[in-house]
Amino acid sequence: MKPQPILVTSAILLMVGGLATLFAPVEIAALLANSGEPAGALVVQLLGGALFALGFLDWMNRFATIGGIYGRPVVAANLAFFFIAATTFARRAFRGGAGEFAELPTWAALAICALLAIGYARVMYSSPRSEALSVPPSPSPGGAP
C-alpha cells in the first residue's frame, strides 16, 4: 500500500513546526509577539508539543485508507487544525500594521494551511482511493460470464 501524500505532507510540516517550537520557544515567542507583548515560552512549547503530536498521528497513519468513513478521526482533526490555523493567519494577514507578524511568512503560512484545509475537506467528503478497497471481480463458476 502506498502512503497518503496529504498525510505525509502535513506530518512533515507539523513535526518540523513542533520541533522548532519545542527547541526554540523564546525565539518563536518573539516572532509571534503581538503589539510588543511576546507570547510566553511555556505556551509556545505546549503548542509545539501539540503540533508534534498531530504530525506524529499523521505519520503513523500515512499508510491507512482515508476518505469517506475511513480514517475520519484523523482527517477531522487535521481539517479542524488547518482550518482554524488558516482563518487565524488570514485575520492577521488582513489586519496588517506596524510591528505585526512579518507579511511574507504570514501569507505563506496562510497559503499552506488553506491548501491543506481544502485538501482535508476534499478527503473527508470523498470516497477513498486505495488498492485495499478495490477488489477485482471474482470469476463466475464454470467460466461463464
Side-chain angles (χ1 to χ4, degrees):
M1 190 183 291
K2 297 186 316 190
Q4 301 292 333
I6 193 164
L7 287 174
V8 172
T9 302
S10 63
I12 291 169
L13 289 172
L14 289 167
M15 291 173 93
V16 167
L19 287 173
T21 55
L22 282 172
F23 290 109
V26 175
E27 291 80 3
I28 300 294
L31 282 173
L32 298 175
N34 190 13
S35 303
E37 298 176 21
L42 177 66
V43 173
V44 173
Q45 280 187 309
L46 290 173
L47 169 68
L51 290 175
F52 188 81
L54 185 58
F56 195 69
L57 175 72
D58 290 348
W59 185 255
M60 295 302 290
N61 282 292
R62 70 188 181 276
F63 292 110
T65 301
I66 60 171
I69 62 169
Y70 300 100
R72 188 163 286 246
V74 173
V75 174
N78 279 284
L79 175 60
F81 172 75
F82 286 113
F83 177 76
I84 292 167
T87 55
T88 302
F89 283 124
R91 187 182 66 197
R92 191 147 206 192
F94 290 117
R95 184 173 21 151
E100 294 295 325
F101 193 59
E103 281 193 38
L104 183 59
T106 302
W107 285 102
L110 169 60
I112 291 168
C113 289
L115 286 173
L116 285 169
I118 291 167
Y120 276 110
R122 289 188 63 187
V123 167
M124 180 172 271
Y125 297 109
S126 66
S127 61
R129 294 181 192 104
S130 173
E131 306 88 42
L133 294 177
S134 59
V135 179
S138 60
S140 60

